Amino acid sequence: MFSLSVIWGTSFILIKKALGEEGDTFTLQPLQVGALRTILSSLILISIGWRSFAKTSKKDWLWLFISGLLGTLFPAFLFAYAQTEIDSAISAILNSTVPLITLILGALVFGISFSRKQLLGVIIGLAGAIGLVFAGMENNPDQNYLFAGLVFIACSCYATNVNIIKKYLQEVKPLAIATGNFVFILPLALIVFFASDGASLDYQDEDVLTSLGYILILCLFGTVAAKIMFNKLVQITSPVFASSVTYLMPIIGLTWGIMDGERFNLWQGLATAVIIFAVILVTSEKRKQSTR
């Protein structure tokens, strides 16, 4: 869980660098970043995990496809679009609401019970997230914080995917899940890539090559290695416990953001602390249950 927190906490700055922002322009567009990230990750995972996927039952394929959409494809584009307007550190912090959303969806859709303490944690966490957005709007008036809504949508996708893996793919090997996800979403990523003029990029341009380098690092660690590790974590614990990898992600993401010159004020720090406290409150009871 610690390793995942560090890897995914670094992913946000890698997305920012992959976009290659120069003033008001970007080296790559969000659709291109999301598509390339998915395509490269697909090639890597299929090459190492095809045999594992081939052993899966066809009855699992629909859930592998849905898991791929929610756990990988949609968030890849949503985070890339969000970070054209908001800082990478803010994305990392808002991503820590995944356990809160996991609990809500688990209760409403998947029939998972929750306690009053967890409900209180959800309320506190959402209040902290709203506070973080408003503090960010004040600290960075030139940024469009409506794009923070894209992060919340991505978090909802992640939260739904966690519950799907736990409920419907519990018996499928982690590598087979990760590979199956990309087998089914690769064609969609290719369509998006060509539709966004990805083939017309100048692949000899230094800026484009630099962006591709960041995407490759993001694929190897933030997608391929992390997805296999996370799928295993979900299977051996609970959905809420697994999603608590977001404990350290805000700290990692914030550290990278500040090192890259992003501005962060006291009110944003307080809102971040509120969110982390809420995550701890929500996951503490489930964590105890999963270790018994």
Side-chain angles (χ1 to χ4, degrees):
M1 187 168 68
F2 174 80
S3 300
L4 276 172
S5 297
V6 174
I7 291 172
W8 273 338
T10 305
S11 295
F12 303 97
I13 192 68
L14 289 173
I15 293 172
K16 176 182 178 180
K17 294 300 184 181
L19 287 166
E21 182 177 6
E22 291 292 341
D24 295 329
T25 62
F26 296 91
T27 302
L28 299 181
Q29 296 305 308
L31 286 177
Q32 295 168 342
V33 171
L36 282 169
R37 178 183 179 181
T38 305
I39 292 168
L40 291 177
S41 297
S42 298
L43 296 177
I44 297 169
L45 268 170
I46 292 174
S47 66
I48 65 176
W50 177 259
R51 288 185 179 180
S52 181
F53 164 71
K55 296 177 182 178
T56 60
S57 171
K58 290 185 178 180
K59 67 180 179 61
D60 296 321
W61 286 6
L62 176 60
W63 290 114
L64 288 172
F65 173 57
I66 296 174
S67 173
L69 292 177
L70 297 177
T72 300
L73 189 67
F74 294 159
F77 296 116
L78 290 167
F79 275 108
Y81 266 110
Q83 289 187 208
T84 61
E85 290 290 341
I86 63 176
D87 289 336
S88 63
I90 301 302
S91 293
I93 294 166
L94 291 176
N95 189 74
S96 66
T97 60
V98 171
L100 311 181
I101 300 174
T102 299
L103 179 67
I104 295 173
L105 292 177
L108 296 179
V109 180
F110 295 91
I112 300 175
S113 61
F114 60 91
S115 67
R116 291 183 179 179
K117 184 174 73 172
Q118 290 175 317
L119 177 60
L120 176 62
V122 169
I123 296 172
I124 293 173
L126 294 179
I130 294 171
L132 179 66
V133 170
F134 279 104
M137 292 171 66
E138 181 178 348
N139 191 43
N140 300 287
D142 57 324
Q143 296 182 0
N144 186 352
Y145 267 74
L146 290 176
F147 277 67
L150 298 179
V151 177
F152 286 118
I153 296 174
C155 290
S156 298
C157 290
Y158 283 146
T160 305
N161 180 52
V162 171
N163 283 297
I164 286 174
I165 292 174
K166 187 65 179 180
K167 186 167 184 177
Y168 299 108
L169 299 171
Q170 176 67 21
E171 303 303 321
V172 182
K173 292 183 178 180
L175 178 58
I177 295 174
T179 304
N181 289 162
F182 284 94
V183 166
F184 292 114
I185 66 175
L186 175 58
L188 298 177
L190 288 170
I191 292 172
V192 173
F193 176 71
F194 288 108
S196 61
D197 294 326
S200 64
L201 290 171
D202 183 2
Y203 292 98
Q204 294 182 339
D205 181 82
E206 184 177 343
D207 291 335
V208 173
L209 290 175
T210 299
S211 292
L212 289 175
Y214 284 117
I215 292 176
L216 182 59
I217 296 172
L218 183 62
C219 291
L220 289 172
F221 296 98
T223 302
V224 175
K227 277 195 70 72
I228 296 172
M229 294 166 64
F230 183 71
N231 292 340
K232 181 63 176 179
L233 186 62
V234 172
Q235 291 180 336
I236 63 176
T237 62
S238 70
V240 175
F241 178 84
S243 59
S244 64
V245 296
T246 51
Y247 278 153
L248 291 177
M249 284 173 62
I251 300 173
I252 303 298
L254 177 59
T255 301
W256 280 116
I258 292 176
M259 290 174 61
D260 198 52
E262 297 177 2
R263 292 182 295 172
F264 200 78
N265 63 24
L266 176 62
W267 292 111
Q268 288 174 302
L270 291 174
T272 301
V274 169
I275 293 173
I276 295 175
F277 170 73
V279 173
I280 293 173
L281 197 63
V282 166
T283 59
S284 60
E285 187 169 323
K286 287 291 184 181
R287 188 166 63 253
K288 291 176 182 178
Q289 292 175 359
S290 67
T291 55
R292 287 174 185 170

